[in-house]
Amino acid sequence: MPSERVIKVGILGATGTVGQRFIVLLSNNPRFEIHTLGASDRSAGRLYPHAANWKLSEKLPNNVTTLHVKRCVPEDFVGCDIIFSEKSFMEANFPVFSNAKNYRMYDTVPLVIPTANPEHFAVVGQQRKEFNLNRGFIITNSNCSVTGTAVVLKALQLSFGPIKKAMVTTMQAISGAGYPGVASLDIMDNVVPFIGGEEEKIEKELAKILGAVSSDNLTIQSDSQLVVSASCNRVPVIDGHTSSVSIEFASDEKPSIDQIKVCLSEYRTMAQQLGCHSAPEQAIIVFEEEDRPQPRLDRMKDNGMAVSIGRIRECPMLDFKFTILIHNTILGAAGASILNAEIAAETGLI
Amino acid sequence: MPSERVIKVGILGATGTVGQRFIVLLSNNPRFEIHTLGASDRSAGRLYPHAANWKLSEKLPNNVTTLHVKRCVPEDFVGCDIIFSEKSFMEANFPVFSNAKNYRMYDTVPLVIPTANPEHFAVVGQQRKEFNLNRGFIITNSNCSVTGTAVVLKALQLSFGPIKKAMVTTMQAISGAGYPGVASLDIMDNVVPFIGGEEEKIEKELAKILGAVSSDNLTIQSDSQLVVSASCNRVPVIDGHTSSVSIEFASDEKPSIDQIKVCLSEYRTMAQQLGCHSAPEQAIIVFEEEDRPQPRLDRMKDNGMAVSIGRIRECPMLDFKFTILIHNTILGAAGASILNAEIAAETGLI
Amino acid sequence: MPSERVIKVGILGATGTVGQRFIVLLSNNPRFEIHTLGASDRSAGRLYPHAANWKLSEKLPNNVTTLHVKRCVPEDFVGCDIIFSEKSFMEANFPVFSNAKNYRMYDTVPLVIPTANPEHFAVVGQQRKEFNLNRGFIITNSNCSVTGTAVVLKALQLSFGPIKKAMVTTMQAISGAGYPGVASLDIMDNVVPFIGGEEEKIEKELAKILGAVSSDNLTIQSDSQLVVSASCNRVPVIDGHTSSVSIEFASDEKPSIDQIKVCLSEYRTMAQQLGCHSAPEQAIIVFEEEDRPQPRLDRMKDNGMAVSIGRIRECPMLDFKFTILIHNTILGAAGASILNAEIAAETGLI
Amino acid sequence: MPSERVIKVGILGATGTVGQRFIVLLSNNPRFEIHTLGASDRSAGRLYPHAANWKLSEKLPNNVTTLHVKRCVPEDFVGCDIIFSEKSFMEANFPVFSNAKNYRMYDTVPLVIPTANPEHFAVVGQQRKEFNLNRGFIITNSNCSVTGTAVVLKALQLSFGPIKKAMVTTMQAISGAGYPGVASLDIMDNVVPFIGGEEEKIEKELAKILGAVSSDNLTIQSDSQLVVSASCNRVPVIDGHTSSVSIEFASDEKPSIDQIKVCLSEYRTMAQQLGCHSAPEQAIIVFEEEDRPQPRLDRMKDNGMAVSIGRIRECPMLDFKFTILIHNTILGAAGASILNAEIAAETGLI
């Protein structure tokens, strides 16, 4: 695809929390232009500002104030080059970038965090064959709670070989539950030590993201050596998932803490090499302060597209432990889909 | 000591957060009577209600409204049978129950959580010999962040043998930092992934609490097999420390989840057998709900003296994982000191 | 009614936030015994602990753990002496004490805050005539946001004559909206300057509560001279409505600030004179500290049944201004209904 | 002064909360360049990033990372064209723009909110005469709690004549108290109904800002007809002061609500006419939604330099009431000083 053509975008679930974030993130994108917004039948036909209960502190971008919401059916999205989020649009031959959980673990569906494993796009050819498509496909991004850990572990894996064990305890923001989501009576002055299905997602998705594409590009093989144990908690934080993580490398030759810091700081990804608009300046930001990263101070680093890490230290039980932070509705959701699409555009998939 | 005699109590640091909690907890105690309140030289000489910036929602008990604050020197505490908290009062031959960190790791100083290891009182005789005391001694209680895990692990250890590994990630309340403590700008809409010295305390104190008194009652031997890795976080919660914990038993014969639940629910401790006033009805409360315990809802269980545990499940890496909650200024501080003193009184140490 | 008979209570909406509060407040009541709990058809037939999503930090009282929830129809409440909350039970000849808004402004329905205007019960005779009842009636209590101001203004009115103007700005707790109520994304780090219908309720209900029963006991006449202006805000507080209030007396002879403090501190009400179990020790607690009352510290004063007031000072525009605090789900809801019922029982209405 | 010259800026108190905000706001300013940063003697001599405990979520701007902090004495600020904040720099002949309270009420010191009353700069000539200065002067900006109300009332006054009465109840953010400022134990799940000195400041400063410069430009005359009554509360909000305000016009001819909305929406100020870099696009933004403005959603409108107003409605007691919101550390502090300085630069005062 000629790199200069404007790409027309359709967004499903456009009135929800993640949909609103998509709209803000795309408002200044030089390459992507919002063409169609879809939502529930109840919203269809109404002007977007009337249909959406706008909950972001960022202003509603001008370019959507005059758009009418459409139904989420392929015939209402004719003219869109790509579709953001879920459903049966792939089968209607649209390129789909999905933040939904449904297809993530399917063998020929890439589960891609753009600053971790975009090489998994390689199975799209096989996927098209299976579904008999020439233009459409589906690329998913991961659950927000796994995103930060996946990027860090991928960077470490590239430099120091496979990870054998990862113990992950999350402290997740309320915006991860959408709107209205978490009741204030449930979370003020409180911690909720359970988020349905989340621990299982971390344990499975992490293995797939750190896995490899088979040499014939036919399938993605999850990392079967990796043992992951996750404990997920909701805390009274608006945006930003923080995790305490301990890991063990498979190899007996362990890197030093300084080597780890250098590896993470210097980590460069395909998204940056391609010069994608939404790529973070640094995929991983390493903090030296003993009490960072913190969600309120650090979640917007590099426009919410960077992973922040700090407190890298030895673990008395495994090899190393540290604190990881990401912005759950940007790199953890809408931002990942958008950067995946930018990579796909730059590499000719669209 | 005849079990009916009223025991006169002196409280050091009486105007601080933990001191205030002591006063509330002792207000209805049938055995202990507040005799002297000590605080900084700045406060000494003033009426307690004027000297203290009362920060608890419980009413200031009537019995202290007319007390004048004293200096924290032994001569101002003549007539007290026991002293709560820290310092050189032990050397002045007072029985001291200390919530301060200073002496906790000393070999002949019991580090006791009353519902975990009161049998460690056995080294008090040796301690008196060393310091040449007939009546005085010092018994410490643990850091608030280790309390819940220690009680649970002690109960498991008694039934299923030694624990080999424990991975502990805490989400700690702001009241643990005293007053003024944590600035609101640091914690609102935020997580602070660092509490100075706390992780080291968990790693060391847990081993001592789970350790054994030598057969000659001369010293306490920390559990040298136990590997503990702790990650401590401050979250926007007023009272109640929540921890995500994973453990591995030393033995190859693992209990079932049901056996663990029965063991914890049926755990009875010396404090209860002695009928101590401040003993919880149940030392450990096991929750079956998938999203409990939660600090706001469960921290006051059994007047803040119980440990709550829930989400007991298998861990993909170690053996089991679960969520533990305690009230950090009651069982985690003032309440532990008081119940330690009640046990000491009932067993003739005072 | 012989003052010793136990009174059997039915509670409608028993699984909701206010219903849960009723159950806790009645758990130790010497006179009232919970007989029947009603809720939606979805809950009917289930054991109460299974039907209710218990959200209070107080333990679920033992006496309701074995009760099955009934439908909210009169035939399911046979045997109840009184009914708490709403609906058509009055027409079925039950004494009803309602926290719902529906009948509050009806001329022969008392709108009573028990520590403000229980003398309004006098119109119950006329109400029974109108509805052709011998035993049933309905007595309502006010919206939670008006409660504190009404009690204070009633006490002032009794001593210093009519109030001419009241400007009320509220800062209301999230529990006032029930469960799930306010979404956490709407209130964390935020103020919502609007609560639907609330300002109108304050303006109308205050005038009725401060009004008089006609000399023939046929009707309640709202205070038509009183001008009230209310602005209602929701703030991130769990329990406790705080209000900044300015008032002007009708009379040109103004009391001094000291006279106001004495008047409020010494205010005694029928509920106390009758020795009702749920009556506060002091109906109004006057604070001298410059930064009190505060919801977290003071909402539970006298078991949540007292009104707290502080910062009584001159107003540059009207006569005086001050800060008022009440517990919105206790004195502001369930507690008011219960104390109304106790007064009714003691005065022979039941 | 030629409008193209870069103006060198010195900032006092540069490590504090407001100082940090100055640095962020000036980082992209085309006209002003940070030349010298001053702080306490303890910080002097250190690199700024080491001396400051950076608490903003915005990144520390590159241009200050290599600056060393100076002492706050005039001789360390040689070369600066203007000084931001307080003290004796005016007497050393520097133009000073001060956010401190000390000189605000002095007759020949302008107390200026840049989008309200920049015409008060007219007394600077007389001030220079009094202090025998040729280049220096001091211009102050108001307390953050009065800013929003002052801008709105000034706009209304210009269109509809004098305001006679204003009743102001504030709900103020924690960042207004600086760092560490409010203890988290004091404000979580709480409202503090007192902020020392704040109510008096609102009552006095509002009258001065709405006052007039005498026709000979010798002094500023406070509006002596205006009666203001303020009640100040601290609420658990990070940034953004919200106020419930009721007002009465002096004239008997009242505008309609629609006229008020048009007046406020169309309000244009000198800062905008001069094309100042930091001027808001709209000085006052009028909301039609019934539950806006809200601090979390609206405080950053026009980069924190706009005043937001909503819920404009009739007041049963005075004429009209509404909700006002401003960003307390931007338009309420650092932003006001900067925009004052820009106006001064454009109008030749510097």
Side-chain angles (χ1 to χ4, degrees):
Chain A
M1 154 177 288
S3 128
E4 295 312 308
R5 182 162 77 77
V6 164
I7 294 173
K8 289 181 185 146
V9 166
I11 301 174
L12 304 179
T15 56
T17 310
V18 172
Q20 295 185 15
R21 187 59 76 180
F22 267 112
I23 287 170
V24 166
L25 291 174
L26 288 171
S27 65
N28 293 314
N29 195 297
R31 192 78 196 282
F32 292 158
E33 185 183 280
I34 294 175
H35 186 265
T36 309
L37 300 175
S40 67
D41 288 355
R42 212 175 49 82
S43 294
R46 305 173 66 189
L47 271 177
Y48 184 79
H50 300 155
N53 189 355
W54 192 256
K55 287 290 167 187
L56 297 182
S57 55
E58 289 87 351
K59 213 175 142 187
L60 180 67
N62 286 330
N63 57 330
V64 300
T65 53
T66 56
L67 284 185
H68 285 81
V69 174
K70 305 286 183 180
R71 294 167 305 146
C72 288
V73 292
E75 53 267 36
D76 276 20
F77 283 72
V78 170
C80 287
D81 295 309
I82 61 175
I83 302 293
F84 282 120
S85 223
E86 50 185 319
K87 284 202 183 148
S88 57
F89 281 67
M90 173 262 276
E91 287 154 50
N93 217 358
F94 283 100
V96 173
F97 295 85
S98 172
N99 186 47
K101 67 181 172 183
N102 310 49
Y103 300 91
R104 282 183 194 151
M105 297 308 296
Y106 192 82
D107 275 359
T108 59
V109 170
L111 169 61
V112 173
I113 301 169
T115 54
N117 61 327
E119 69 274 15
H120 286 197
F121 286 2
V123 298
V124 163
Q126 176 62 19
Q127 185 196 122
R128 280 174 167 159
K129 249 184 243 167
E130 282 183 36
F131 289 88
N132 201 22
L133 307 167
N134 56 341
R135 173 176 159 254
F137 58 78
I138 187 163
I139 288 173
T140 64
N141 50 272
S142 72
N143 181 275
C144 53
S145 64
V146 81
T147 306
T149 301
V151 174
V152 167
L153 266 54
K154 181 61 183 279
L156 293 174
Q157 187 192 52
L158 285 171
S159 287
F160 309 117
I163 311 293
K164 196 164 72 182
K165 295 179 182 172
M167 180 81 81
V168 180
T169 302
T170 69
M171 291 161 281
Q172 300 183 222
I174 56 171
S175 62
Y179 182 85
V182 184
S184 53
L185 276 175
D186 281 337
I187 198 63
M188 276 187 61
D189 182 23
N190 208 12
V191 168
V192 180
F194 177 71
I195 304 175
E198 206 86 342
E199 297 175 355
E200 296 73 12
K201 283 180 204 157
I202 292 180
E203 292 169 10
K204 283 191 307 183
E205 294 185 13
L206 198 50
K208 180 166 179 181
I209 293 164
L210 295 179
V213 178
S214 64
S215 57
D216 50 11
N217 283 347
L218 292 185
T219 184
I220 298 159
Q221 292 159 331
S222 284
D223 181 342
S224 62
Q225 306 300 315
L226 178 68
V227 176
V228 180
S229 176
S231 296
C232 292
N233 302 281
R234 186 82 66 194
V235 293
V237 165
I238 296 173
D239 288 314
H241 288 354
T242 308
S243 299
S244 293
V245 179
S246 285
I247 61 153
E248 187 173 318
F249 289 100
S251 164
D252 285 343
E253 287 183 48
K254 311 297 186 189
S256 69
I257 287 177
D258 280 346
Q259 286 173 317
I260 287 176
K261 289 179 180 175
V262 169
C263 155
L264 297 177
S265 297
E266 297 187 346
Y267 178 58
R268 288 293 168 278
T269 73
M270 190 192 297
Q272 295 159 312
Q273 285 150 5
L274 293 168
C276 294
H277 173 75
S278 303
E281 199 187 311
Q282 266 191 266
I284 301 173
I285 297 172
V286 178
F287 283 82
E288 293 292 340
E289 295 88 339
E290 66 184 5
D291 61 352
R292 299 287 277 269
Q294 296 178 12
R296 192 168 72 80
L297 297 179
D298 301 316
R299 59 195 169 204
M300 284 306 294
K301 288 274 181 290
D302 283 13
N303 300 315
M305 293 297 287
V307 175
S308 293
I309 187 170
R311 304 206 65 219
I312 303 175
R313 59 207 194 283
E314 296 198 346
C315 174
M317 187 183 308
L318 306 183
D319 290 339
F320 298 99
K321 55 184 176 180
F322 33 74
T323 299
I324 292 175
L325 170 74
I326 60 135
H327 195 301
N328 54 298
T329 69
I330 303 183
L331 183 63
S337 283
I338 291 171
L339 187 49
N340 275 342
E342 290 175 359
I343 295 172
E346 294 301 330
T347 57
L349 255 187
I350 305 173
Chain B
M1 155 175 288
S3 130
E4 295 312 307
R5 183 161 75 78
V6 164
I7 294 174
K8 290 182 186 146
V9 166
I11 301 173
L12 305 179
T15 57
T17 310
V18 171
Q20 295 185 15
R21 187 58 77 180
F22 267 112
I23 288 171
V24 166
L25 291 174
L26 288 172
S27 65
N28 291 314
N29 196 297
R31 192 76 197 281
F32 294 160
E33 185 183 278
I34 294 177
H35 185 264
T36 309
L37 299 175
S40 69
D41 289 354
R42 211 173 51 79
S43 294
R46 305 173 65 190
L47 270 177
Y48 184 79
H50 300 155
N53 189 357
W54 191 255
K55 286 291 167 186
L56 297 182
S57 55
E58 289 88 352
K59 216 176 142 186
L60 180 65
N62 286 331
N63 56 329
V64 300
T65 53
T66 56
L67 283 185
H68 284 83
V69 174
K70 305 286 183 181
R71 294 168 304 145
C72 288
V73 293
E75 54 267 36
D76 277 20
F77 283 72
V78 170
C80 287
D81 294 309
I82 62 174
I83 303 292
F84 283 119
S85 225
E86 51 185 317
K87 282 199 183 150
S88 56
F89 281 68
M90 172 262 279
E91 287 153 48
N93 217 359
F94 281 101
V96 173
F97 295 86
S98 172
N99 186 46
K101 67 181 174 186
N102 310 47
Y103 299 92
R104 283 183 195 150
M105 297 309 296
Y106 192 83
D107 275 358
T108 58
V109 171
L111 169 61
V112 172
I113 301 169
T115 54
N117 61 327
E119 68 276 15
H120 286 198
F121 286 1
V123 297
V124 163
Q126 175 62 16
Q127 186 196 122
R128 280 176 168 157
K129 249 185 243 170
E130 283 184 36
F131 289 90
N132 201 19
L133 307 167
N134 57 342
R135 173 176 159 255
F137 57 79
I138 185 163
I139 288 173
T140 65
N141 51 273
S142 73
N143 181 276
C144 53
S145 64
V146 81
T147 305
T149 302
V151 174
V152 167
L153 266 53
K154 180 62 182 281
L156 293 175
Q157 188 193 51
L158 285 172
S159 288
F160 309 116
I163 311 292
K164 195 162 74 182
K165 296 180 181 171
M167 180 79 82
V168 180
T169 301
T170 69
M171 292 161 282
Q172 300 183 221
I174 56 171
S175 61
Y179 183 85
V182 184
S184 52
L185 276 174
D186 282 336
I187 197 63
M188 276 186 61
D189 183 21
N190 207 13
V191 169
V192 179
F194 177 71
I195 303 174
E198 205 87 341
E199 297 174 355
E200 295 74 10
K201 283 179 204 157
I202 292 180
E203 292 168 12
K204 283 192 307 182
E205 295 185 13
L206 198 50
K208 180 166 179 183
I209 293 164
L210 295 180
V213 178
S214 64
S215 56
D216 50 11
N217 283 347
L218 293 184
T219 182
I220 298 160
Q221 293 158 331
S222 284
D223 181 342
S224 62
Q225 307 300 314
L226 178 69
V227 177
V228 180
S229 176
S231 296
C232 292
N233 301 281
R234 185 82 66 196
V235 293
V237 166
I238 296 173
D239 289 313
H241 289 353
T242 309
S243 299
S244 293
V245 178
S246 284
I247 61 153
E248 188 173 317
F249 289 99
S251 163
D252 284 343
E253 285 183 48
K254 311 297 185 190
S256 69
I257 287 178
D258 279 345
Q259 287 173 316
I260 287 176
K261 289 179 181 174
V262 169
C263 155
L264 298 177
S265 297
E266 297 188 345
Y267 177 58
R268 288 293 169 276
T269 73
M270 190 192 299
Q272 296 159 311
Q273 285 150 6
L274 294 169
C276 295
H277 173 75
S278 304
E281 197 186 311
Q282 266 191 264
I284 301 173
I285 297 173
V286 178
F287 282 81
E288 293 292 339
E289 294 89 338
E290 67 185 2
D291 62 352
R292 299 286 277 269
Q294 297 178 15
R296 192 166 74 79
L297 298 179
D298 302 316
R299 58 194 170 205
M300 284 307 292
K301 287 275 180 293
D302 283 11
N303 301 315
M305 294 297 286
V307 175
S308 293
I309 187 170
R311 303 203 68 217
I312 303 175
R313 59 207 194 283
E314 295 197 346
C315 175
M317 187 184 309
L318 307 181
D319 291 340
F320 298 98
K321 56 184 175 181
F322 33 75
T323 299
I324 291 175
L325 169 75
I326 60 134
H327 195 300
N328 54 297
T329 70
I330 302 182
L331 183 63
S337 283
I338 290 171
L339 187 49
N340 275 342
E342 290 176 359
I343 296 173
E346 294 300 329
T347 58
L349 256 188
I350 305 174
Chain C
M1 153 176 288
S3 128
E4 295 312 306
R5 183 162 75 77
V6 163
I7 294 174
K8 290 184 186 143
V9 166
I11 302 174
L12 304 180
T15 57
T17 310
V18 172
Q20 295 186 14
R21 187 58 78 181
F22 266 111
I23 288 170
V24 166
L25 290 174
L26 289 173
S27 65
N28 292 314
N29 196 296
R31 192 78 195 281
F32 293 159
E33 184 183 279
I34 295 176
H35 185 265
T36 309
L37 300 174
S40 68
D41 288 354
R42 212 174 51 81
S43 295
R46 306 173 64 189
L47 270 177
Y48 185 78
H50 299 155
N53 189 357
W54 190 256
K55 286 290 167 188
L56 298 182
S57 55
E58 288 88 351
K59 215 176 142 188
L60 180 65
N62 286 331
N63 56 330
V64 300
T65 53
T66 56
L67 284 185
H68 285 81
V69 174
K70 305 287 183 181
R71 294 168 305 145
C72 288
V73 293
E75 53 267 37
D76 278 19
F77 283 71
V78 171
C80 287
D81 294 310
I82 61 174
I83 301 293
F84 282 120
S85 224
E86 52 187 317
K87 282 199 185 149
S88 56
F89 281 67
M90 173 263 278
E91 287 154 48
N93 217 358
F94 283 102
V96 173
F97 294 86
S98 172
N99 186 46
K101 66 181 172 184
N102 309 46
Y103 299 92
R104 283 183 194 149
M105 297 309 296
Y106 192 83
D107 276 357
T108 58
V109 170
L111 168 62
V112 173
I113 301 170
T115 53
N117 61 324
E119 68 275 16
H120 286 196
F121 286 1
V123 297
V124 163
Q126 175 62 17
Q127 186 197 122
R128 280 175 168 159
K129 249 183 245 168
E130 282 183 37
F131 288 89
N132 201 21
L133 307 166
N134 57 340
R135 173 176 160 252
F137 59 78
I138 185 163
I139 288 173
T140 65
N141 51 274
S142 73
N143 181 275
C144 53
S145 64
V146 81
T147 306
T149 301
V151 175
V152 167
L153 266 54
K154 180 62 183 280
L156 293 175
Q157 188 192 51
L158 285 172
S159 289
F160 309 117
I163 311 293
K164 193 163 76 182
K165 295 179 182 173
M167 179 80 82
V168 180
T169 301
T170 68
M171 292 161 281
Q172 300 183 220
I174 56 172
S175 62
Y179 183 83
V182 184
S184 52
L185 275 174
D186 281 337
I187 198 65
M188 276 186 61
D189 182 22
N190 208 12
V191 169
V192 179
F194 177 71
I195 303 175
E198 206 86 342
E199 298 175 353
E200 295 75 11
K201 282 179 205 157
I202 292 180
E203 293 168 11
K204 283 191 307 182
E205 294 185 11
L206 198 50
K208 180 166 179 183
I209 293 164
L210 296 179
V213 178
S214 64
S215 55
D216 51 9
N217 283 347
L218 293 185
T219 182
I220 298 160
Q221 292 159 332
S222 285
D223 181 342
S224 62
Q225 306 301 314
L226 178 69
V227 176
V228 180
S229 176
S231 296
C232 292
N233 301 281
R234 185 83 65 195
V235 294
V237 165
I238 297 173
D239 288 312
H241 288 353
T242 309
S243 300
S244 293
V245 179
S246 285
I247 61 152
E248 186 173 317
F249 289 100
S251 164
D252 284 344
E253 285 182 49
K254 311 296 184 187
S256 69
I257 288 178
D258 279 346
Q259 287 174 315
I260 288 177
K261 289 179 181 174
V262 169
C263 155
L264 298 177
S265 298
E266 297 188 346
Y267 177 58
R268 288 292 170 276
T269 73
M270 190 192 300
Q272 296 158 312
Q273 284 150 4
L274 293 169
C276 295
H277 173 75
S278 304
E281 197 186 311
Q282 266 191 265
I284 301 174
I285 296 173
V286 178
F287 282 81
E288 293 293 338
E289 295 89 338
E290 67 185 2
D291 62 352
R292 298 287 278 269
Q294 296 178 14
R296 193 167 74 77
L297 298 179
D298 302 316
R299 58 195 170 205
M300 284 306 293
K301 287 276 180 292
D302 283 12
N303 301 314
M305 293 297 288
V307 174
S308 294
I309 187 170
R311 304 204 68 219
I312 302 174
R313 59 207 194 283
E314 295 197 347
C315 175
M317 187 183 308
L318 307 182
D319 291 338
F320 298 98
K321 54 184 175 179
F322 33 75
T323 299
I324 292 176
L325 169 75
I326 61 134
H327 195 300
N328 53 298
T329 70
I330 302 182
L331 183 62
S337 283
I338 290 171
L339 187 49
N340 275 342
E342 290 176 0
I343 295 173
E346 294 301 330
T347 57
L349 256 188
I350 305 175
Chain D
M1 152 175 289
S3 127
E4 295 312 307
R5 183 162 75 77
V6 163
I7 293 173
K8 290 182 186 145
V9 166
I11 301 174
L12 304 180
T15 57
T17 310
V18 171
Q20 295 184 16
R21 188 57 78 180
F22 267 112
I23 288 171
V24 165
L25 291 174
L26 288 171
S27 65
N28 293 313
N29 195 297
R31 192 77 196 280
F32 292 160
E33 185 183 279
I34 293 176
H35 186 265
T36 309
L37 299 175
S40 69
D41 289 354
R42 210 174 51 81
S43 295
R46 306 174 65 189
L47 271 177
Y48 184 79
H50 299 156
N53 188 358
W54 191 256
K55 286 290 166 188
L56 298 182
S57 56
E58 288 88 351
K59 216 176 140 185
L60 180 66
N62 286 330
N63 57 329
V64 300
T65 53
T66 57
L67 284 185
H68 284 81
V69 174
K70 304 288 183 180
R71 295 168 303 146
C72 287
V73 293
E75 54 266 36
D76 277 20
F77 283 72
V78 171
C80 287
D81 294 309
I82 63 174
I83 302 293
F84 282 121
S85 225
E86 51 183 318
K87 283 199 182 149
S88 56
F89 282 67
M90 173 263 276
E91 287 153 47
N93 217 0
F94 282 100
V96 173
F97 295 86
S98 172
N99 186 47
K101 67 180 172 183
N102 311 47
Y103 299 92
R104 281 183 194 152
M105 297 309 296
Y106 192 83
D107 275 358
T108 60
V109 171
L111 169 61
V112 173
I113 301 170
T115 54
N117 61 327
E119 69 274 15
H120 287 198
F121 286 2
V123 298
V124 163
Q126 175 61 18
Q127 183 196 124
R128 279 175 169 157
K129 250 185 242 168
E130 283 183 35
F131 289 89
N132 202 20
L133 306 167
N134 57 341
R135 173 176 160 254
F137 59 77
I138 186 164
I139 288 173
T140 64
N141 49 273
S142 72
N143 180 276
C144 53
S145 64
V146 81
T147 306
T149 301
V151 174
V152 167
L153 265 54
K154 181 61 183 280
L156 293 175
Q157 188 192 52
L158 285 172
S159 288
F160 309 116
I163 312 291
K164 194 163 74 182
K165 296 179 182 172
M167 179 80 82
V168 180
T169 301
T170 69
M171 292 161 281
Q172 299 183 220
I174 56 172
S175 62
Y179 182 83
V182 185
S184 53
L185 276 175
D186 281 337
I187 198 64
M188 276 184 62
D189 183 23
N190 208 11
V191 168
V192 180
F194 177 72
I195 304 175
E198 206 86 342
E199 297 175 354
E200 295 75 9
K201 283 179 204 157
I202 292 180
E203 293 168 10
K204 283 191 308 184
E205 295 185 12
L206 198 51
K208 180 166 179 183
I209 293 164
L210 296 179
V213 178
S214 65
S215 56
D216 51 10
N217 284 347
L218 292 186
T219 183
I220 298 161
Q221 292 159 331
S222 285
D223 181 342
S224 61
Q225 306 300 313
L226 179 68
V227 176
V228 180
S229 175
S231 295
C232 292
N233 302 281
R234 185 83 66 194
V235 294
V237 165
I238 296 173
D239 288 313
H241 288 354
T242 308
S243 300
S244 293
V245 179
S246 286
I247 61 154
E248 186 173 317
F249 290 99
S251 165
D252 285 342
E253 287 183 46
K254 311 297 183 188
S256 69
I257 287 177
D258 279 345
Q259 286 174 318
I260 287 176
K261 289 179 180 175
V262 169
C263 156
L264 297 178
S265 298
E266 296 187 347
Y267 177 59
R268 288 293 168 278
T269 73
M270 190 192 298
Q272 296 158 312
Q273 285 150 7
L274 293 169
C276 295
H277 174 75
S278 304
E281 198 186 310
Q282 266 191 266
I284 300 173
I285 297 173
V286 178
F287 282 81
E288 293 293 340
E289 295 89 338
E290 66 184 2
D291 61 352
R292 299 286 277 269
Q294 296 178 14
R296 192 167 75 79
L297 298 178
D298 302 316
R299 60 195 171 203
M300 284 306 292
K301 287 275 178 293
D302 283 13
N303 300 314
M305 293 298 286
V307 174
S308 293
I309 187 170
R311 303 204 68 218
I312 303 175
R313 59 208 193 284
E314 296 196 347
C315 176
M317 186 184 310
L318 308 181
D319 292 339
F320 298 98
K321 55 185 175 179
F322 32 74
T323 299
I324 291 175
L325 169 75
I326 62 134
H327 195 300
N328 55 298
T329 70
I330 303 183
L331 183 62
S337 283
I338 291 172
L339 187 50
N340 275 341
E342 290 176 0
I343 295 172
E346 293 301 330
T347 58
L349 256 187
I350 305 174

